[in-house]
Amino acid sequence: MAFADIAASVVRGVSKGNARTLKRKMTAPPIAEHLIKEISADCFHVGFSKCDVMPDDISAKSYWMAGNGVGRKAESVHDPITVSAMWVGCGENGGVLMVSADCIGITNVEVCKIRDMLAKFSARTECKNISVCCTHNHAGFDTVGYWGKFPKTGKDDEYMDKLLSSVVNVCKEAYENRKAGKLFIGSAHVPQAQLDSRPPTVLHDTLTRLRFIPDDGSEETWFLNFAANPNALGRENRAISADYPYYIRRKINEYKTTNVLFGVGAVGAVESGEFSEDMHERAILQGECLANAAIQIENDRQLDCHLKILRQPFYCPVENSVFALSAALNVASSKRYPYNKGDLKLAFKTEMTYMILGDQKILFLPGENFPETVYGGYSDASESATGLSADENPKPLTEIAEDENLLVFDVTNDMLGYVVPPNDFVLHPTQAYLRMGTDRFGKSHYHETKSLGIFVQETIANIFSGMVKRMK
C-alpha cells in the first residue's frame, strides 16, 4: 500500500473516531422550523455603509492568502479589502441587512457571532435577518482557515476580530443612513464574463442589479449579482486585492457616484472571462465589462415595498474526512454534530435563507453551488462522469422554486465547499478527499476534494423544498 493510501486511511479513521467520541458526548438537538417574517409599507427605506478592513501590521506580519493552494503569504497590497452593508427596510416596520465582504468566505460560526454582536441592535431596529454574502475573493486573506499550513489554521485571530467588528459597524451605520425611496431590479446578459471549467457547460450569464433610488436625489445604492469566481488575478498573485469586484466599483463610480455592493451567483466551477493573458489586466477588464453592463441596464422594474423572509438552519452530512479533521482541530470553525447518515456519521450545522422582495425570489445559499444544481442542465447517462443518469440528481432549485428567475447568492452565511451533482461526483478510490479522482473519460475531479460529500445537494434541495412549501 502506498504511503498516500495509508495517510488517507489514517485521516478517515481518525475522523470516524472523532465522530464516535462526539456521539458519546452529545446528541444533535432537533432543529425547529423557523418562523416566516413578513413586513410591508408604502415605501422602502434603504441605507448603506462601507469600510476598509486592512490590518495595520501587514508589512511586519505574515498573512496567508485564501484560495489557489496552501501556504501563500501576502507580499504586498494592490487595493483594499472592504465590507459593505445595505439595510433594506419597509418604512419603519423593520427590515433586513445584506452584507458584502471581499473575502473567500466565512463559516456559519462567525456569522452567528456577528448576529450575536448585533442582537440588541436587531431587537431595537426590528431587523428581521442579517445575511453575509462573501464575494469568494481568491486574492484576500484566509478567513476560513484552510489555506495556512495544516494542522495550523490560516486565520489570524486579530484580523478576524477586526473583520467581524467591521461588519457589525457597517450594519449599524447602514441603518442610521437609511433614506426613503424606490427599489428597482433589472438585469443584463454578459456571456463574455464567464467560463465553465468543467462539464456539463451550464452558464447563467445574467448580471442582476438591485437598484435603490432615494427620494432626495442623493447617491443610489446598487447590489450586483453575477456568477464568476473572483479569481481573475490567478494563483501566482501575491498582492492583496478584492480582484475584479474592486474594478466594478471603480468603473461605476467613474460614471457617477454610487454605493456598490457585489455578491456572486452559483459559481461552482465558473471562472471569469478570458479577457487577457495578463492576469492583472484580466481582472480589470472583467470588472469593467460587468460595470458597463450594469450601467446600461434598461429593463428596471419597480418592486413593491413588501418583504417576506425565512431563514432555516439545518444539518448537512459530512463525508469529507479532511474537512472533518480540520473542524476537530479547529483549523476552520464548524458546529459539529453526530448524524445518522453517511460513513462518518457526522454533520455540520449550516443554514439558508429564502426571501421574496416585492415579487423577486432570492435565495442565500451556503457554499459554491454548481450552476446545474440551481438551473438544471445535468449530464445524461452517456455524458456523466459516473455513467449514471440525471435522475440520480435532485430537482434543480429553480424548478423547486417554480421560478427560472430565482436570484441566487452563493457563499452566503457559510463557506460550505462545493455542491456537486451526485451523477458527476467522483472520488479517488484509495485517497478520497486527499487527491483528485479520475472519471471514466480520464478527466480529473478537483471539486469533490473540497466538498463535504455526495449528500450535500440532496440535503439543500430537500430543505429548500420545505421552505418553498411553507412560504406559499
Side-chain angles (χ1 to χ4, degrees):
M1 182 180 289
F3 175 77
D5 292 347
I6 296 172
S9 179
V10 169
V11 170
R12 192 150 199 86
V14 170
S15 296
K16 283 186 175 182
N18 287 337
R20 287 194 296 268
T21 300
L22 188 67
K23 186 176 182 179
R24 287 194 294 269
K25 292 181 177 179
M26 67 177 300
T27 301
I31 299 176
E33 290 185 338
H34 277 211
L35 296 175
I36 296 169
K37 300 174 182 178
E38 190 168 6
I39 53 175
S40 59
D42 293 331
C43 74
F44 284 103
H45 281 70
V46 172
F48 172 84
S49 181
K50 173 185 173 182
C51 75
D52 292 352
V53 190
M54 295 297 294
D56 298 326
D57 56 355
I58 190 166
S59 60
K61 188 175 180 180
S62 294
Y63 286 92
W64 301 110
M65 298 182 72
N68 291 320
V70 301
R72 290 193 312 144
K73 288 185 180 180
E75 296 175 355
S76 61
V77 176
H78 186 274
D79 53 85
I81 301 300
T82 66
V83 292
S84 307
M86 181 180 184
W87 167 273
V88 180
C90 293
E92 297 301 323
N93 297 323
V96 297
L97 278 160
M98 297 189 296
V99 176
S100 172
D102 288 333
C103 63
I104 195 81
I106 60 176
T107 72
N108 191 243
V109 171
E110 279 87 19
V111 172
C112 290
K113 286 181 182 177
I114 289 168
R115 292 184 183 135
D116 287 344
M117 294 164 74
L118 286 165
K120 291 182 180 179
F121 161 87
S122 296
R124 175 174 61 84
T125 62
E126 295 189 71
C127 180
K128 309 303 181 187
N129 190 64
I130 301 167
S131 286
V132 182
C133 308
C134 298
T135 63
H136 200 52
N137 171 32
H138 287 56
F141 302 101
D142 184 356
T143 50
V144 178
Y146 293 141
W147 291 277
K149 288 191 175 181
F150 191 84
K152 293 184 178 180
T153 183
K155 292 188 295 184
D156 180 85
D157 288 342
E158 291 182 3
Y159 183 74
M160 292 303 296
D161 288 343
K162 186 181 186 73
L163 175 65
L164 269 57
S165 296
S166 296
V167 171
V168 168
N169 290 338
V170 294
C171 285
K172 292 178 178 178
E173 290 170 3
Y175 173 80
E176 296 299 333
N177 294 338
R178 67 197 188 283
K179 297 179 179 181
K182 298 177 178 63
L183 196 61
F184 299 82
I185 194 163
S187 62
H189 294 286
V190 199
Q192 66 272 32
Q194 285 181 320
L195 175 68
D196 197 335
S197 64
R198 93 179 226 179
T201 300
V202 178
L203 292 170
H204 185 71
D205 63 10
T206 303
L207 170 72
T208 302
R209 180 184 69 182
L210 191 64
R211 180 189 186 192
F212 174 70
I213 303 178
D215 292 340
D216 66 3
S218 56
E219 292 89 353
E220 296 181 7
T221 297
W222 297 1
F223 206 135
L224 304 179
N225 174 280
F226 187 74
N229 270 287
N231 190 22
L233 289 170
R235 62 184 308 112
E236 300 304 319
N237 172 61
R238 296 294 185 275
I240 292 294
S241 170
D243 206 276
Y244 75 76
Y246 170 80
Y247 297 103
I248 292 177
R249 298 188 290 255
R250 188 177 77 171
K251 186 66 177 180
I252 290 174
N253 277 278
E254 289 175 1
Y255 163 68
K256 68 174 181 179
T257 303
T258 309
N259 305 318
V260 183
L261 305 94
F262 179 78
V264 289
V267 291
V270 182
E271 304 297 333
S272 55
E274 294 185 311
F275 290 99
S276 172
E277 292 184 2
D278 180 275
M279 304 305 282
H280 187 211
E281 185 178 26
R282 179 179 294 192
I284 294 172
L285 295 175
Q286 172 82 8
E288 292 184 347
C289 173
L290 291 171
N292 288 330
I295 291 167
Q296 294 167 19
I297 288 173
E298 296 180 345
N299 60 359
D300 269 345
R301 59 184 178 84
Q302 187 173 346
L303 297 173
D304 291 337
C305 189
H306 182 264
L307 193 152
K308 192 175 182 181
I309 191 163
L310 173 60
R311 179 173 67 86
Q312 185 60 53
F314 60 96
Y315 294 124
C316 190
V318 180
E319 283 292 280
N320 189 323
S321 52
V322 178
F323 279 8
L325 183 57
S326 296
L329 295 174
N330 204 30
V331 170
S333 304
S334 298
K335 298 175 183 176
R336 302 183 303 133
Y337 294 90
Y339 202 61
N340 59 3
K341 190 170 186 176
D343 185 46
L344 293 185
K345 298 294 189 289
L346 181 73
F348 291 166
K349 189 177 181 181
T350 185
E351 65 174 74
M352 70 176 80
T353 298
Y354 184 36
M355 180 169 74
I356 303 177
L357 186 60
D359 63 352
Q360 178 63 54
K361 297 175 181 177
I362 303 173
L363 182 60
F364 298 99
L365 283 171
E368 296 176 74
N369 296 260
F370 276 37
E372 55 268 33
T373 70
V374 176
Y375 305 104
Y378 297 123
S379 295
D380 60 23
S382 66
E383 297 177 337
S384 72
T386 61
L388 298 173
S389 75
D391 294 338
E392 295 292 319
N393 305 324
K395 282 185 180 180
L397 300 183
T398 51
E399 189 174 335
I400 293 172
E402 299 178 346
D403 188 348
E404 64 181 9
N405 295 313
L406 175 71
L407 178 58
V408 167
F409 284 87
D410 250 12
V411 200
T412 299
N413 298 327
D414 202 2
M415 177 61 180
L416 201 65
Y418 290 104
V419 182
V420 183
N423 83 330
D424 199 43
F425 196 97
V426 175
L427 293 171
H428 192 281
T430 59
Q431 299 169 33
Y433 302 108
L434 282 178
R435 185 178 176 185
M436 291 184 287
T438 302
D439 67 22
R440 63 197 182 108
F441 302 114
K443 295 178 180 176
S444 296
H445 282 237
Y446 157 76
H447 301 89
E448 287 85 339
T449 67
K450 300 297 184 288
S451 167
L452 288 189
I454 197 169
F455 302 114
V456 181
Q457 190 200 354
E458 175 189 55
T459 304
I460 287 175
N462 288 342
I463 296 297
F464 183 51
S465 180
M467 295 172 75
V468 169
K469 288 176 183 176
R470 293 183 61 208
M471 287 280 273
K472 284 183 178 179

